[in-house]
Amino acid sequence: MMSDHQHQHFQQLLLLLRQEKEADHRNFLELVRQKPLSDRVQQGYTWYPLQVLNTGFALGEKAFLIVERTVHQHSPHQLRAGQTVSLFTQAAHVEQPEKQGIIHYVERNRMKIILNARDVPDWLSAGQLGVDMLFDDRSYQEMERALQRVMAAKGDRLAALRAILTPSLAALGAHRHGAPPTVEPLVLQEGHGTAGLNSSQRAAVQAILHNRDVAIIHGPPGTGKTTTVVAAIKELVKTENTVLITAPSNTAADLLTERLSDQGLFVVRIGNVSRVDESVLQHTVDALLAAHPEAKNIKKVKLEAAEYRRQARRFKRSFHASDQQERNHFKQQARELDAWARMLEDRLVDEILSTAQAIVCTLVGAAHPLLEKRRFGTCVIDEAAQALEPACWIPIAKCSRVVLAGDPFQLPPTVKNADAARQGLATTLIERTLKILPDQVSLLTVQYRMHRVIMGFSNDYFYGGALVADASVAERLLPTVNATPPEVGVAFIDTAGCDFDERLQETPGALHRSLSRFNPEEALLVREHLLQLLQSVGYPGETPVELPDIGILSPYREQVVHLDELLREDPLLAPLLLSRKITISTIDGFQGQERDVIYISLVRSNPKHEIGFLQDYRRMNVAMTRARMVLVVVGDSSTIGHNKFYHQFLDYCAEHGAYRTAWEFML
């Protein structure tokens, strides 16, 4: 029986999710669909006109086409792989001038679209073609459906997990007073596949195997969370038929697919092939089906069915009774062959899924029709700190045991509606469970990425000083040819008093209209420091040297654009951008990556001490923990220093790293 507290929680989630959907849809209509074609093209929501370069059939027998835009070829646009789009024609007298599909890839001015159809439309040759961005509400529908299913659960495993993950106030009080966790005696055997893991990672694997209900892996930056999750899955598949592994994004799901496959597991990646990276296409159901020995027979049956349909279409509207009889015969033959092909295909798909050791998909992908009737012993939700709680319940509803892995002190999920975020939609399931189920949490404590000084501030502020830097990285320094590099470990370069004032730039064509800030003088300072650092490692020099990988980050997109333009104008730095030894990105776009050297341009400099995005300390935690050997933060202490977080960071730099003034680089 669901308690009042639980009922209120899920009703609130449902309400907030609908608010988010309505706001998202409203913004989309205002900024995209209700605008004239010329405006949509100019702002990058539409490609028009187009020419068709190629057509064919993708995996799953869906039609694809490759198109190229013929005008506005140097204009920025909003279309990306995985988006739902509408292929349309402006040609007159076309009865159904639109066909939906999903973008497979975008390369410069070319785009591959996999249509939700078996054939390309007849009107392709009519010309005047374009591609429109569409609002895709499928994820909202699946999340709502999952919440309704959770609320309706009675007396089953889902109801039990609901009670554990959303305890009533009485149960929560009992738990806080020491109610023991529910466990089953699964023991990590000798000779297990966890060789090479540290003690905290092995303890996390052990906790997953022991806990019958919920296990939580808290993995701070660089602590090997994915390595631990993969090791746990290798153990789980020894006692379970198939483990369900999910993540909020296709990128994270693809990474897990690769890592599990590298460990020798039979992995099946569920999802639309348009949204799956090419490196893991071989693991998709479509690819596995196509490679099956019986696939040729199924294809032969389908071709025969297609030929019968073609024969049936030969008959026009006015034909004799004998002709009608023959037409009906062809159609019946086609139907029977199609049914046979589907039966053969369903049997092969069932065989593939039943023999899979791991099935990987996104959270919303867990609602895929292929998984509709399947149940799993364990469901792993990786990157759970970036997942909306309603999305997590989609895979949870299919399993008996839940493993949540992530770090709530890094980037949160994206919530576009500010009110919904404030009222709780931005609070993740792992964030809640860390508080209500502390006995089930395994904290990974050894990090393998950062110099100990780079790690230190984040460790103290977010993780209570629990982390230690592995000996392999703790004192690792940037190799230099000069006696002294410009910085060691972590440094703050202070622009206070330099009149490096921030500026405001409206971002054109953004789906959600916004004002982005930039600081051109601060960008110049980053460039100057970067040139000195490169000089310290011997670039440019008479002989080639191994250069460090460098990332330049900012929370503001306009500053990223400005930095990119500035560095491309420099003859020494432009080649390094081209070779990707230097990467410039927003903080959000850099999640999951790391570099030898990281620069962070904070941008904000104003007399009102307003810091905007910088108040999201989780975002800054991500940025500050991307560096392996050198972290350089550039900002205005008089603007950020009034904030407790940044005040502590400035003190940390002064005590453990370097605190320098911008004037040193302006002489």
Side-chain angles (χ1 to χ4, degrees), residues 231-410:
I233 293 168
K234 285 183 65 180
E235 293 301 309
L236 287 169
V237 300
K238 295 177 181 178
T239 57
E240 299 181 16
N241 290 334
T242 309
V243 178
L244 178 63
I245 301 109
T246 64
S249 68
N250 281 291
T251 301
D254 290 342
L255 174 62
L256 285 165
T257 302
E258 288 188 279
R259 292 288 297 273
L260 291 166
S261 176
D262 289 344
Q263 293 296 315
L265 299 186
F266 176 32
V267 188
V268 177
R269 175 72 165 91
I270 299 290
N272 192 304
V273 292
S274 306
R275 294 188 167 104
V276 174
D277 190 84
E278 289 192 4
S279 63
V280 298
L281 270 179
Q282 61 183 317
H283 301 290
T284 63
V285 173
D286 291 326
L288 293 168
L289 192 61
H292 197 282
E294 291 189 35
K296 292 181 179 179
N297 294 330
I298 296 175
K299 186 175 182 180
K300 181 180 178 181
V301 173
K302 288 183 175 182
L303 288 173
E304 290 178 8
E307 176 60 22
Y308 276 119
R309 283 194 297 273
R310 189 188 69 79
Q311 293 285 354
R313 286 196 297 267
R314 288 190 299 110
F315 297 94
K316 307 300 180 183
R317 291 190 176 183
S318 56
F319 48 82
H320 300 293
S322 59
D323 293 335
Q324 183 174 2
Q325 186 176 5
E326 190 172 359
R327 180 195 184 202
N328 291 339
H329 171 72
F330 286 141
K331 292 173 71 174
Q332 178 64 25
Q333 290 295 314
R335 283 193 294 268
E336 291 177 0
L337 288 170
D338 280 334
W340 187 21
R342 280 194 301 271
M343 182 189 69
L344 293 173
E345 199 166 71
D346 290 345
R347 181 171 58 80
L348 293 187
V349 169
D350 183 70
E351 177 186 316
I352 289 169
L353 295 178
S354 297
T355 55
Q357 293 174 289
I359 291 178
V360 184
C361 58
T362 62
L363 294 169
V364 175
H368 195 285
L370 290 177
L371 302 181
E372 185 176 356
K373 297 180 180 179
R374 292 188 175 269
R375 296 283 305 172
F376 301 89
T378 302
C379 162
V380 177
I381 301 178
D382 196 20
E383 302 296 353
Q386 294 184 53
L388 293 177
E389 179 174 340
C392 290
W393 287 102
I394 300 173
I396 290 174
K398 297 178 177 293
C399 71
S400 298
R401 170 168 43 191
V402 182
V403 178
L404 300 172
D407 179 13
F409 300 124
Q410 297 188 60

Side-chain angles (χ1 to χ4, degrees), residues 164-233:
I164 294 166
L165 293 166
T166 316
S168 65
L169 296 178
L172 185 58
H175 179 84
R176 286 173 176 167
H177 285 87
T182 305
V183 298
E184 61 180 6
L186 295 177
V187 180
L188 205 58
Q189 301 295 326
E190 292 296 327
H192 58 74
T194 59
L197 298 186
N198 62 52
S199 58
S200 68
Q201 291 171 329
R202 287 196 298 272
V205 174
Q206 185 77 50
I208 291 172
L209 298 180
H210 264 65
N211 201 306
R212 192 183 68 185
D213 302 315
V214 179
I216 304 160
I217 309 303
H218 185 181
T223 56
K225 171 181 62 65
T226 303
T227 298
T228 305
V229 168
V230 169
I233 293 168

Side-chain angles (χ1 to χ4, degrees), residues 96-110:
Q96 295 180 327
E98 291 191 29
K99 190 74 84 172
Q100 290 190 15
I102 295 174
I103 299 175
H104 189 199
Y105 66 74
V106 179
E107 293 179 354
R108 297 182 181 272
N109 292 297
R110 294 186 178 185

Side-chain angles (χ1 to χ4, degrees), residues 56-57 68 133 162 190 314 326 355 377 407 508 523 599 653:
F57 295 94
E68 183 178 48
M133 181 191 293
R162 179 187 64 202
E190 292 296 327
R314 288 190 299 110
E326 190 172 359
T355 55
D407 179 13
Y599 286 86
C653 289

Side-chain angles (χ1 to χ4, degrees), residues 142-154:
E142 297 298 349
M143 284 189 282
E144 283 195 31
R145 194 173 290 123
L147 292 178
Q148 298 283 10
R149 188 180 300 120
V150 173
M151 287 190 286
K154 292 181 181 179

